[in-house]
Amino acid sequence: MTTALEIASAVRDPELPVLTLADLGVLRDVSEADGRVVVTITPTYSGCPAIDEMGADLRRSLTSAGYSEVEVRLSLSPAWTTDWISDEGRSKLAAAGIAPPSRVGPSVAGPVPLNLVPPSRQVACPQCGSPNTSEISRFGSTACKALRRCNACAEPFEHVKEI
Amino acid sequence: MSFDNAYESLLGHEDAHWAFGTGFSEALSGVNREFPADVDKDALAAYCLMLGDDALIFSQRLAEWCSRAPELEEDIALANIALDLLGQARMLLTRAGEVLGKSEDELAYLRDEREFRNVHLAEIDCGPGPGGDFGTTIARLLVFSSWRLALFSRLAPSPFWAGSADPVLAAIAEKGLKELAYHRDHAAQWTVRLGDGTDESHRRVQAGLERVWPFVDELFATHAVETRLPGVAVDPASVKSEVDGVLDAVLSAAGLTRPADTRAARVAGMAGRDGVHTEAMGYLLAEMQHLHRSLPGAVW
Ligand SMILES: [Zn+2]
């Protein structure tokens, strides 16, 4: 029998199905004792509508693998940021034509600095690799994505925006 | 290939990839929710309602712009901001409901106007209808998100501030912090774009600032509930200078004038935090609550 951790790690994100929950960094813990599995996940955004579906998918996968008792818990802290997306997850996003986020590191202590102009981040085009791209919209089809355009090949593409 | 309905082709016969399920479970499922010893629980519930109602009511206002913003990208932006705030509201109302013995839905849909604790800034009508304008909505978003971000910065644990002694409130704030920073930047960048744009856009965002400014005073007024929660709540008066600094920086970059400090009328000194609301609130609640009240227990 495959371990509960392996099964939970393979469950896909409902909104970015190229990633598993483990790639996305929302799978925080899987513990197994006496046939009972407790999975802990964290939401990407406070209003993420996919969080219930993640829980349902985890329960479905584990139950069909023979685990009769499955509990899914939510954890809010430490809060998810795009830095939790694994290197493998970043490669999978790029391969699917979605520009992965750059790493932002820990936030500064104290008052959050104001950005009067969008931070100038080099986001390479996932189609042709050109670094010459610009933002079309700060918000995209899901909470975690922005929309960009490549100035070299003219293709629009999605970008998992850094938070 | 033939499908019985349009969704099947998207799903590839596997419903597991459909993000929007039919039942939304409660917002804090499985989070450790013990109350800190010696916390005033009634005050904590009231405080969570205050912060939760701010987010819920403003979320409702922002959602009104969906399909009516000046451009498609902004429809999506305002709806996304509304969604983040709705998520914060769900968690905060759930926390309040643990003390009050009520679910988040009961609190959102079955309370009457006098029981809502949001500030007036969240409820006033800034459009898209005849009561307002996109410039006014951007002005409100700038003020609201700058203020809420300053509060959440202090509620979240960090090397700089201790954070709320209520671990759930602290975790909700930590979660919402980056969202609010993104909202504030969005509003700030729009304020500069409009203020530094054409004569018409400058005029309209300046008018928006004049419209929302009388409601700014309430944001920094210390309420008795906050006084009863030392170490748990943030005294809003303590964030005033930080928020003023942010607003001044944005207005200066945008070439806009900070309106004179005035104060909207109150009833016997009471405002939103005491459950005394403006005329717009009744209409907002009627729209927000009518489905749930007409069809109790309805789900989608
Ligand atoms: Zn390109």
Side-chain angles (χ1 to χ4, degrees):
Chain A
M1 185 158 154
T2 334
T3 67
L5 176 63
E6 286 168 332
I7 294 159
S9 302
V11 171
R12 287 175 185 282
D13 177 65
E15 289 190 342
L16 286 169
V18 295
L19 299 186
T20 65
L21 299 184
D23 293 331
L24 185 60
V26 298
L27 188 69
R28 287 289 164 83
D29 190 53
V30 180
S31 68
E32 191 184 339
D34 309 323
R36 178 184 154 79
V37 181
V38 177
V39 184
T40 306
I41 54 174
T42 193
T44 50
Y45 284 75
S46 295
C48 176
I51 193 79
D52 287 315
E53 210 54 30
M54 290 180 191
D57 290 351
L58 283 163
R59 273 188 287 272
R60 185 165 31 226
S61 302
L62 286 159
T63 310
S64 56
Y67 293 94
S68 52
E69 241 191 297
V70 180
E71 186 191 344
V72 179
R73 289 185 191 158
L74 216 55
S75 157
L76 296 175
S77 176
W80 181 87
T81 69
T82 37
D83 282 0
W84 286 82
I85 300 177
S86 67
D87 288 335
E88 195 183 336
R90 284 157 205 270
S91 314
K92 286 180 184 170
L93 283 171
I98 303 169
S102 44
R103 295 206 179 260
V104 287
S107 46
V108 260
V112 183
L114 173 71
N115 294 301
L116 280 174
V117 286
S120 60
R121 288 200 175 89
Q122 288 251 322
V123 182
C125 168
Q127 303 299 334
C128 74
S130 166
N132 181 13
T133 67
S134 47
E135 188 176 80
I136 301 173
S137 173
R138 301 179 78 240
F139 293 85
S141 59
T142 63
C144 58
K145 285 179 285 187
L147 209 56
R148 295 184 76 88
R149 175 198 306 116
C150 175
N151 300 323
C153 74
E155 280 291 316
F157 62 91
E158 290 187 305
H159 169 221
V160 175
K161 65 198 184 195
E162 294 80 8
I163 68 157
Chain B
M1 222 183 291
S2 79
F3 295 103
D4 285 340
N5 70 56
Y7 295 137
E8 278 183 45
S9 60
L10 293 171
L11 301 172
H13 295 287
E14 201 190 332
D15 66 355
H17 287 170
W18 190 239
F20 305 100
T22 52
F24 285 83
S25 62
E26 57 135 348
L28 290 173
S29 173
V31 170
N32 178 0
R33 288 180 272 173
E34 277 171 40
F35 292 97
D38 67 33
V39 71
D40 180 339
K41 280 204 214 172
D42 292 334
L44 177 63
Y47 189 57
C48 289
L49 282 184
M50 284 156 58
L51 296 178
D53 287 347
D54 289 342
L56 176 67
I57 300 302
F58 189 31
S59 165
Q60 179 75 11
R61 280 295 183 215
L62 287 167
E64 290 171 356
W65 280 95
C66 197
S67 82
R68 303 179 70 179
E71 55 187 37
L72 176 63
E73 288 77 8
E74 214 39 39
D75 269 353
I76 297 169
L78 295 178
N80 265 291
I81 293 170
L83 184 62
D84 288 342
L85 291 173
L86 187 62
Q88 295 173 14
R90 289 188 60 197
M91 294 190 280
L92 287 160
L93 294 188
T94 299
R95 185 59 167 162
E98 285 175 331
V99 178
L100 304 170
K102 295 201 154 114
S103 71
E104 48 170 316
D105 276 3
E106 288 172 314
L107 289 171
Y109 295 126
L110 299 177
R111 274 181 299 155
D112 289 331
E113 182 176 323
R114 285 301 305 266
E115 298 169 280
F116 277 83
R117 292 289 179 261
N118 56 284
V119 293
H120 288 173
L121 181 70
E123 76 198 35
I124 55 167
D125 187 358
C126 293
D133 181 64
F134 181 68
T136 318
T137 275
I138 289 298
R140 164 159 65 178
L141 181 62
L142 174 68
V143 173
F144 182 91
S145 51
S146 301
W147 167 67
R148 193 171 174 87
L149 175 61
L151 293 178
F152 273 44
S153 305
R154 285 155 180 82
L155 290 169
S158 74
F160 203 74
W161 288 296
S164 174
D166 176 41
V168 176
L169 195 48
I172 294 170
E174 183 190 342
K175 178 79 242 163
L177 204 50
K178 301 213 171 207
E179 296 159 5
L180 293 168
Y182 203 80
H183 304 169
R184 183 192 63 179
D185 286 352
H186 187 69
Q189 289 164 24
W190 261 109
T191 304
V192 172
R193 186 169 161 190
L194 296 175
D196 194 25
T198 63
D199 287 348
E200 174 68 2
S201 70
H202 178 94
R203 183 187 67 74
R204 283 164 68 172
V205 72
Q206 182 68 49
L209 289 167
E210 306 288 345
R211 165 88 172 101
V212 303
W213 220 259
F215 302 97
V216 170
D217 176 75
E218 185 188 2
L219 308 182
F220 302 105
T222 311
H223 192 272
V225 164
E226 286 140 354
T227 314
R228 280 163 66 195
L229 292 168
V232 173
V234 172
D235 178 358
S238 71
V239 306
K240 185 165 191 323
S241 63
E242 181 187 319
V243 176
D244 274 343
V246 168
L247 295 178
D248 285 344
V250 177
L251 298 186
S252 150
L256 294 162
T257 312
R258 184 187 172 101
D261 285 330
T262 51
R263 198 172 105 165
R266 296 187 178 206
V267 178
M270 294 187 290
R273 292 293 193 230
D274 307 296
V276 175
H277 295 282
T278 64
E279 188 187 347
M281 184 70 173
Y283 294 98
L284 183 150
L285 289 182
E287 183 163 314
M288 190 179 87
Q289 297 183 330
H290 92 269
L291 185 77
H292 192 91
R293 289 192 183 229
S294 311
L295 301 163
V299 292
W300 62 282

